[in-house]
């Protein structure tokens, strides 16, 4: 059985059944071997009906064809196309080199499919029932397709290398007694990983995975109610877009990649799967996730899209985006009732968000989160709402989020909002100070708004000038040198007191005494503070111009 079947005949002693003999001939001819009854209820791989011997094919025969199959007929290319079969035994091609193309559709497997460390060109399982797929360190030159398959005991693709696309659209994957339903740490996919309308019960692990093009999870449902994480994908790299969003009319055309999955029926009116189930692309299906999500240290070359997604988190679970890097982050999920949203250390050039997507009860962490632009994707997001957003992220006072927000406004030429943010930072800092510091802070706030409202300082300057002018007009101080004193002007005298550097010759010519001397000294001190604030505001204005 280790030698190629040059004669084209099966090895002696194999004793092929009628179904297997038909598959043998179809393999040599490169044609499809269809064992379906044409009754949808009886052909459903997930159904309860028994598939008899007339539809049974031994996994041993399939492995023989794939690994050491007979030569094709003249003018044909040998390939395995099997539809509607009950595959008995364990299909095991571990460590083997599979040359022929193979596709199995609407098949029911009795035992798991094993392909660890195998090398093959393209493999497609469409609308099949597989108890489990073991394919660690699998290498394919082409696609690995599993659309609409039911795999109740999970998939293992650890350190696998997929030459083009990996398709999991509409598949249903469970974990049985294992902790992981999909174990794909170190997975490499050269082009797209499409997992739209996928349903997973158990943990999906993509730690260190590399996607050469895009990752699509439109309308996918990830559930792990008994574990900590539903999606565990730290250090994942996606060269273009990673999408966790709704499946609707706009996203439906992306369910299949550039390489069409042979035998997968797709029309814009609907998708037909095992058991005749259909999905109407005009009807929206949401991305849902029950359990924690970890995308820490991820790299997304074009954008990361988390749009209108539903996350159900427990109090100790997180939607964690620590230290990720992407040019554009779209963050518009439905607000979570529990759990944390963590953006600590993330680096984003453009943040597209929605005010209602962020938690308001100190469940947002974003220390060290940097962004160049923050643009509301839906509705409005004014500076006061941004300040509430920052306050929600700082249960205890931290200056970095305020400074980052102010820098964003300043870089966009909005100095007014930048000053509002920095003023809010000082007011928040004031809450952490001891009583003397708080009193001094309140004084700075009431008088000069910590220097961020120069117009307020100018107003106080005007009030002091008017009050001082009236006071000293009524209580004129005596002259230092009676014969040399200039003409008395209460208005100019008070200006001399309030304005540093500038002198009108009034303050040195008159000598107030008693309480008026103290009032004059107080005006000099306040004048320095207020004039400095006004000058700083004017300097910022001139610098911008």
């Amino acid at each position: 059985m280790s030698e190629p079947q040059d004669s084209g005949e099966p090895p002696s002693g194999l004793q092929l059944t009628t179904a297997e003999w038909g598959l043998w001939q179809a393999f040599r001819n490169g044609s499809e071997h269809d064992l379906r009854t044409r009754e949808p209820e009886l052909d459903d791989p997930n159904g309860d009906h028994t598939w008899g011997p007339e539809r049974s094919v031994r996994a041993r025969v399939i492995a023989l064809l794939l690994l050491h199959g007979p030569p094709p007929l003249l003018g044909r290319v040998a390939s395995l196309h099997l539809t509607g079969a009950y595959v008995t035994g364990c299909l095991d091609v571990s460590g083997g080199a599979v040359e022929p193309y193979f596709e199995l559709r609407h098949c029911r497997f009795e035992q798991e499919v094993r392909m660890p460390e195998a090398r093959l060109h393209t493999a497609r399982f469409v609308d099949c029932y597989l108890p489990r797929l073991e394919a660690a360190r699998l290498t394919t030159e082409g696609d690995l397709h599993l659309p609409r398959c039911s795999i109740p005991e999970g998939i293992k693709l650890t350190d696998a290398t997929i030459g083009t696309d990996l398709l999991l659209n509409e598949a249903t994957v469970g974990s049985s007694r294992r902790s992981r339903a999909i174990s794909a740490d170190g997975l490499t996919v050269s082009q797209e990983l499409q997992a739209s309308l996928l349903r997973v019960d158990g943990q999906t692990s993509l730690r260190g995975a590399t996607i050469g093009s895009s990752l699509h999870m439109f309308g996918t449902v990830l559930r792990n109610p008994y574990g900590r994480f539903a999606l565990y994908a730290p250090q994942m790299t996606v060269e273009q877009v990673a999408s966790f969003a709704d499946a609707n009319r706009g996203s439906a055309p992306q369910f299949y990649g550039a390489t069409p999955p042979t035998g997968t029926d797709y029309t814009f009116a609907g998708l037909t799967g095992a058991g005749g189930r259909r999905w109407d692309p005009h009807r929206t299906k949401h991305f849902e996730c029950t359990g924690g999500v970890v995308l820490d240290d991820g790299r997304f070359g074009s954008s990361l899209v988390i749009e209108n997604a539903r996350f159900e988190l427990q109090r100790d679970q997180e939607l964690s985006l620590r230290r990720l890097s992407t040019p554009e982050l779209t963050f518009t999920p439905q607000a979570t009732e529990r759990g944390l949203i963590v953006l600590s250390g993330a680096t984003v050039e453009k943040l597209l968000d929605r005010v209602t997507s962020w938690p308001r009860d100190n469940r947002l962490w974003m220390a060290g989160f940097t962004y160049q632009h923050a643009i509301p994707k839906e509705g409005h997001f004014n500076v006061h709402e941004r300040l509430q957003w920052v306050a929600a992220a700082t249960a205890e006072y931290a200056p970095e989020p305020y400074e980052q927000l102010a820098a964003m406004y300043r870089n966009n030429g909005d100095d007014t909002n930048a000053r509002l943010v920095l003023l809010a930072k000082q007011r928040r800092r004031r809450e952490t100070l001891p009583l003397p510091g708080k009193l001094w802070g309140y004084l700075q706030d009431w008088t000069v708004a910590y220097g961020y409202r120069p117009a307020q300082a100018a107003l106080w300057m005007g009030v002091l000038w008017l009050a001082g002018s009236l006071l000293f007009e009524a209580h004129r101080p005596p002259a230092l040198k009676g014969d040399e004193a200039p003409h008395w002007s209460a208005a100019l005298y008070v200006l001399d007191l309030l304005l540093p550097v500038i002198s009108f010759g009034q303050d040195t010519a008159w000598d107030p005494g008693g309480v008026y001397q103290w009032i004059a000294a107080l005006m000099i001190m306040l004048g320095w503070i207020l004039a400095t604030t006004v000058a700083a505001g004017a300097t910022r204005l001139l610098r911008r111009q």
Side-chain angles (χ1 to χ4, degrees), residues 4 74 95 152 211 220 242 256 259 278 311 315 376 458 486 501 529:
L74 293 178
I211 314 300
T220 294
Y256 300 100
T259 306
R278 296 175 64 85
F311 294 95
R315 294 186 183 277
V501 182
I529 295 173

Side-chain angles (χ1 to χ4, degrees), residues 34-51:
D34 193 344
L35 297 174
R36 288 178 295 179
T37 65
R38 307 299 177 182
E39 296 185 29
E41 184 178 359
L42 299 179
D43 290 333
D44 181 7
N46 299 288
D48 297 328
H49 293 278
T50 301
W51 291 9

